[in-house]
Amino acid sequence: MTTAHITPPPSPSVGASAAGEIFYPHKHLLGIEGLYPHELTGLLDLADTYVEQNRRTNKKKSLLKGLTMINLFFENSTRTRTSFELAAKRLGADVINMQADSSSVKKGETLLDTAITLNAMHPDILVVRHADSGAVKLLSEKVSGAVINAGDGQHEHPTQALLDALTIRRRKGRIDGLRVAICGDILHSRVARSNIHLLNTMGARVRLVAPPTLLPNSIDHLGCEVFHDMREGLKDCDIVMMLRLQLERMESSYLPSVREYFHFYGLDYDKLSVAKPDALIMHPGPMNRGVEIDSLVADDINRSAIQEQVEMGVAVRMACLDALTRATRNAEADQ
Amino acid sequence: MTSHVFVNVRLLDPASGLDAMGGLVVEDGKIVAAGANIRAGDAPEGATVIDGDGHCLAPGLIDSRVFVGEPGAEHKETLASASQSAAAGGVTTIITMPSTKPAIDGVSLVEYMARRRSDDVLVNVVPMAAATKRLEGKEMTEIGLLTNAGAVAFTDGRTAVADASVMMKILKYGRMFDALLVQHPEEPTLSKGVMNAGELSTRLGLSGSTPLAELLMIERDIRLAEATGGRLHFAHVTAAGSLAAVRAAKARGIRITCGVTPPHFALNELVVGDYRTFAKISPPLRAEDDRLAVIEGLKDGTIDVIASGHDPQDAESKRLPFAQAAFGAVGLETLLPVSMELYHNGYLSLLEVIDRLTRRPAELFKLPGGRLAVGAPADLVLFDPDLAIRIDADRFRSKSKNTPFDEQPAQGKVMLTMVGGRVVYSAQA
């Protein structure tokens, strides 16, 4: 397990970001795996500044004025797409939303053909969601603008992990040393993978709690402790991160029934009682109430950070857009 | 009468154990003499003398697993382009898979394939027929009539005969004709993944196929072969556990054999790297422990034959997200140089490597080639086992270029290929 302690750079203000400090040297944001702690910290520090900006009456900046962002979603999503759209608009970018139907056409042709077509329109940022792992990376090789992975198959969802980290850091003051339980359908979850990488990199201790049928092969090699019993897994945890369970998993024989799943893995006050008294409850949404989480717990304003995660999402995406366009903006400013 | 005389060559004949400098005389498409005492002066009048420059002269390679696009997917490969690719790789006989469109499951289709040899098809084409009609795994094909028409074995190609009852009937019925059933040993419900199941598949978020799928099918089929006495060949065995099962069954005298393709002894799953679709093959590239077990299987004879598994896919089938990309890699032109790794790394002798590529497949599929004996067809390959090369997919004769070995260094180069006494490839040309 990675427990690197690298001193983060001083927190840049929004003004400093406009001045063009480069702390994130990559062209794209395709995943959390492989990023350094100081790069993640830099993004989180920058996001912190945007949280404050978003709480003001005047939320809008002109940092990305003249830049174009395309939201290219091959999979349905309202929350993530809206969050990115809002983030871009608050920074003054022009935003186009494209919902590509990935089921009625030959998917691969659409992906690369669309990439090439869109590239000809010179977008500065492409935000891409796709049902296949690796598809966003493939696309990123064909375009000249910055690409942000908004979720690819069962691989990664980096901005979700960043917004989760920001939520945790603001509530707990740190990530290092915290005990975090990620519970539910780990097998199919890109959110879980990105969070495992991020939390490990930032020094948290990650536990996974799921039935064996919903755990991928060798997941413990990623630096996690695996539990099949919720009570054992949640014991003394600082953070309880629930995952959405897709109901078709019942038909695919991953699980016998919703009733049985909720009984053993649904988060309720009884199971939560073994976690730390101030344990924070998180969920990437949308929630299946009564399946993976009890409504009372989900709506407990003292324990649940679910709404705060949504708020942090916009700030984190603003930070990512800011960081990824700095090189471009600096180059233009130099001309 | 056309004749050729090879002189100054290192003769390699696994069937007789011959490994010596000498020469070889070809007349009318057959070997008429071979030995240490043959020199240029022994050439009949009008014979073409080929000075081998000390290189190895061996029986032409017999490749027992070649997918061709014809009929149905000629844009990926035709028999003509496959044969050119084979000739460049030192392969003189390709045993074709029935996985075409339509599938080779009837007498007329087998006859079409068997008679396809013509001016533009440079090497011997020997067809396998489907084991079940339309490759659906439900109804047995006409094994007797198809055998008479020229089918050398029966297989459902890329898919396993999954229904145990159908499999048992094929093995039982096929005994009447001593038919060979070639199985793709993967239990289909456990092998729906797109790469090997393990840590890497988890990191990449790709669905994995467990090696257990191979073991289950192999253990089941061993029992069926034992119960029926049928002849069974596993097209490829790629995992440590299943190799152990094959080894144990062979020791019990059950009539089974197995093969492997070069990617499975030369590469492991890490080649998939960052979603590299050219490394997407079926069965998938396995973990390093499995790769080492495959090498052990080759060393101790558990694995009988090395086949290329040539499976041409056009760029459009591979330039896709990993999960959507087609399985398969071309292999005819890399078969010899990659197999030479086994020799250069000290795992097998040169004769043993050639044995897995010539005599063993010839015996298994009852073909006349695979040896340097007098009277045998003059299907020959002249090669330099030591010459360092860099594999260059752009230069492949195959219509498709999908290989996980592109740009890899290797040692071993085909200098000349002869089929039936006719030179069909020369590196100098």
Side-chain angles (χ1 to χ4, degrees):
Chain A
M1 194 161 72
T2 308
T3 52
H5 294 266
I6 295 174
T7 309
S11 298
S13 67
V14 177
S17 83
E21 185 191 344
I22 308 280
F23 63 90
Y24 183 86
H26 312 284
K27 184 180 174 190
H28 308 299
L29 176 59
L30 301 177
I32 298 293
E33 188 174 16
L35 295 184
Y36 289 106
H38 72 274
E39 294 168 349
L40 297 167
T41 306
L43 288 171
L44 295 178
D45 289 345
L46 188 55
D48 258 332
T49 67
Y50 286 118
V51 174
E52 304 315 317
Q53 180 185 316
N54 287 338
R55 287 178 179 174
R56 289 181 207 142
T57 311
N58 179 12
K59 298 175 176 59
K60 199 148 175 176
K61 290 273 171 190
S62 57
L63 195 65
L64 303 190
K65 190 168 187 298
L67 301 187
T68 308
M69 183 184 94
I70 298 180
N71 263 332
L72 179 57
F73 277 58
F74 291 88
E75 245 187 13
N76 289 331
S77 160
T78 306
R79 300 161 70 104
T80 306
R81 187 183 54 72
T82 308
S83 182
F84 269 107
E85 183 174 355
L86 205 54
K89 285 183 170 169
R90 284 188 180 165
L91 292 175
D94 297 316
V95 181
I96 305 290
N97 286 310
M98 284 192 62
Q99 182 74 44
D101 184 350
S102 59
S103 59
S104 64
V105 283
K106 281 186 79 177
K107 294 176 190 173
E109 283 178 11
T110 304
L111 177 69
L112 285 188
D113 290 350
T114 307
I116 292 162
T117 305
L118 290 180
N119 199 44
M121 299 178 193
H122 303 293
D124 301 286
I125 308 143
L126 272 173
V127 176
V128 186
R129 169 168 287 192
H130 199 282
D132 286 317
S133 303
V136 180
K137 179 176 185 298
L138 180 66
L139 186 143
S140 74
E141 292 163 1
K142 307 290 174 192
V143 300
S144 43
V147 174
I148 298 179
N149 181 1
D152 64 326
Q154 299 166 21
H155 178 219
E156 284 227 39
H157 191 354
T159 56
Q160 178 70 44
L162 284 164
L163 76 87
D164 289 342
L166 185 64
T167 308
I168 293 170
R169 203 176 72 163
R170 289 175 68 92
R171 280 285 192 110
K172 298 288 181 188
R174 65 192 169 104
I175 295 172
D176 186 23
L178 293 180
R179 191 174 283 141
V180 184
I182 305 176
C183 314
D185 184 0
I186 315 283
L187 177 65
H188 299 96
S189 175
R190 51 198 175 208
V191 173
R193 280 171 182 72
S194 281
N195 264 308
I196 290 167
H197 294 311
L198 188 147
L199 293 166
N200 274 332
T201 305
M202 301 294 278
R205 287 174 286 175
V206 181
R207 294 176 170 190
L208 304 177
V209 188
T213 47
L214 293 179
L215 281 164
N217 294 289
S218 312
I219 190 75
D220 51 324
H221 294 196
L222 270 57
C224 315
E225 270 189 287
V226 172
F227 295 85
H228 302 309
D229 182 285
M230 275 287 263
R231 284 181 158 272
E232 286 177 25
L234 298 192
K235 192 165 184 339
D236 297 329
C237 277
D238 299 284
I239 310 287
V240 181
M241 206 179 261
M242 302 304 297
L243 296 173
R244 174 179 162 77
L245 181 78
Q246 290 177 19
L247 297 176
E248 61 264 31
R249 304 295 171 226
M250 309 298 159
E251 289 157 23
S252 317
S253 290
Y254 286 100
L255 300 165
S257 72
V258 169
R259 188 173 70 160
E260 178 156 327
Y261 183 74
F262 184 76
H263 179 77
F264 290 105
Y265 295 99
L267 185 66
D268 53 21
Y269 279 120
D270 179 46
K271 297 187 187 89
L272 187 61
S273 64
V274 297
K276 283 192 179 162
D278 61 345
L280 198 63
I281 297 154
M282 302 176 73
H283 193 297
M287 285 180 285
N288 292 308
R289 291 167 182 270
V291 178
E292 69 262 359
I293 190 163
D294 184 88
S295 262
L296 290 175
V297 177
D299 297 334
D300 183 342
I301 52 169
N302 296 317
R303 309 291 298 271
S304 165
I306 297 170
Q307 292 309 311
E308 201 174 322
Q309 287 173 272
V310 178
E311 183 192 1
M312 295 306 123
V314 179
V316 152
R317 283 156 187 144
M318 289 168 82
C320 293
L321 296 174
D322 178 351
L324 285 172
T325 56
R326 283 184 180 197
T328 316
R329 287 185 281 124
N330 283 351
E332 296 222 336
D334 291 343
Q335 283 173 5
Chain B
M1 189 166 72
T2 58
S3 36
H4 290 83
V5 178
F6 289 90
V7 295
N8 189 24
V9 291
R10 179 179 168 188
L11 296 165
L12 292 173
D13 182 24
S16 64
L18 175 68
D19 180 356
M21 291 303 292
L24 182 143
V25 184
V26 172
E27 280 182 13
D28 275 347
K30 292 201 182 307
I31 296 168
V32 295
N37 51 352
I38 292 168
R39 294 184 172 78
D42 302 326
E45 201 173 326
T48 305
V49 176
I50 300 170
D51 187 332
D53 201 20
H55 297 326
C56 296
L57 187 69
L61 312 188
I62 296 171
D63 188 346
S64 57
R65 192 167 177 82
V66 178
F67 291 90
V68 287
E70 186 179 338
E74 284 83 354
H75 63 290
K76 294 183 178 180
E77 194 84 289
T78 60
L79 276 167
S81 65
S83 77
Q84 284 167 15
S85 184
V91 175
T92 53
T93 298
I94 55 174
I95 301 176
T96 58
M97 304 298 287
S99 314
T100 48
K101 289 180 183 171
I104 309 296
D105 64 355
V107 168
S108 59
L109 286 160
V110 166
E111 285 176 345
Y112 165 79
M113 295 296 285
R115 289 178 188 163
R116 191 58 180 76
R117 181 84 194 275
S118 65
D119 282 347
D120 66 340
V121 177
L122 303 174
V123 303
N124 304 309
V125 177
V126 179
M128 279 196 231
T132 67
K133 292 173 187 170
R134 299 172 296 279
L135 306 172
E136 288 173 350
K138 293 174 186 163
E139 300 169 73
M140 188 192 325
T141 52
E142 295 167 322
I143 292 176
L145 293 174
L146 290 166
T147 301
N148 291 345
V152 294
F154 297 84
T155 182
D156 274 359
R158 295 184 182 89
T159 53
V161 179
D163 185 313
S165 156
V166 173
M167 184 74 179
M168 188 157 177
K169 289 182 183 104
I170 294 171
L171 285 167
K172 203 183 265 185
Y173 185 83
R175 271 194 72 184
M176 284 197 294
F177 309 98
D178 199 30
L180 178 69
L181 181 67
V182 177
Q183 173 74 305
H184 175 109
E186 276 196 299
E187 203 290 311
T189 62
L190 282 177
S191 54
K192 290 178 178 167
V194 296
M195 68 172 294
N196 189 45
E199 181 185 337
L200 186 62
S201 66
T202 293
R203 281 183 187 276
L204 294 174
L206 294 172
S207 55
S209 285
T210 167
L212 186 61
E214 185 174 285
L215 175 60
L216 283 182
M217 191 58 97
I218 283 176
E219 292 212 318
R220 183 202 78 171
D221 286 351
I222 284 169
R223 298 290 174 184
L224 292 175
E226 186 175 25
T228 59
R231 238 176 14 117
L232 175 62
H233 177 71
F234 296 115
H236 30 63
V237 181
T238 64
S242 30
L243 276 160
V246 170
R247 190 174 287 122
K250 280 186 161 188
R252 280 163 47 214
I254 299 165
R255 298 174 79 199
I256 56 163
T257 50
C258 71
V260 76
T261 64
H264 289 110
F265 62 73
L267 304 172
N268 65 29
E269 63 181 342
L270 298 179
V271 179
V272 170
D274 232 354
Y275 305 103
R276 192 165 170 235
T277 56
F278 277 11
K280 181 177 175 182
I281 60 175
S282 171
L285 293 172
R286 302 287 189 196
E288 180 64 6
D289 286 351
D290 291 314
R291 187 185 78 86
L292 295 174
V294 166
I295 289 171
E296 204 51 46
L298 280 161
K299 280 165 71 176
D300 71 9
T302 303
I303 297 175
D304 298 86
V305 300
I306 300 171
S308 74
H310 183 77
D311 195 353
Q313 301 294 341
D314 57 343
E316 294 312 307
S317 304
K318 285 288 190 180
R319 284 177 63 243
L320 294 170
F322 198 90
Q324 295 176 32
F327 287 98
V330 294
L332 284 163
E333 287 164 79
T334 51
L335 178 60
L336 185 99
V338 178
S339 296
M340 281 297 122
E341 273 189 22
L342 297 167
Y343 159 62
H344 291 300
N345 290 336
Y347 299 130
L348 268 69
S349 71
L350 195 51
L351 261 188
E352 285 172 328
V353 178
I354 296 300
D355 182 58
R356 312 298 192 264
L357 292 161
T358 58
R359 183 185 68 92
R360 300 286 278 273
E363 283 180 3
L364 188 59
F365 293 89
K366 299 180 183 171
L367 300 175
R371 60 213 163 101
L372 296 183
V374 171
D379 295 345
L380 303 164
V381 57
L382 182 71
F383 69 98
D384 181 341
D386 300 319
L387 192 68
I389 60 165
R390 187 170 288 276
I391 293 168
D392 181 358
D394 287 339
R395 299 183 65 170
F396 284 174
R397 263 74 168 175
S398 170
K399 276 191 172 187
S400 297
K401 316 293 181 193
N402 52 304
T403 173
F405 295 113
D406 194 22
E407 297 186 5
Q408 275 203 14
Q411 261 183 288
K413 183 175 169 61
V414 174
M415 313 306 284
L416 181 142
T417 306
M418 176 176 273
V419 177
R422 175 184 168 204
V423 176
V424 294
Y425 172 80
S426 170
Q428 275 82 42

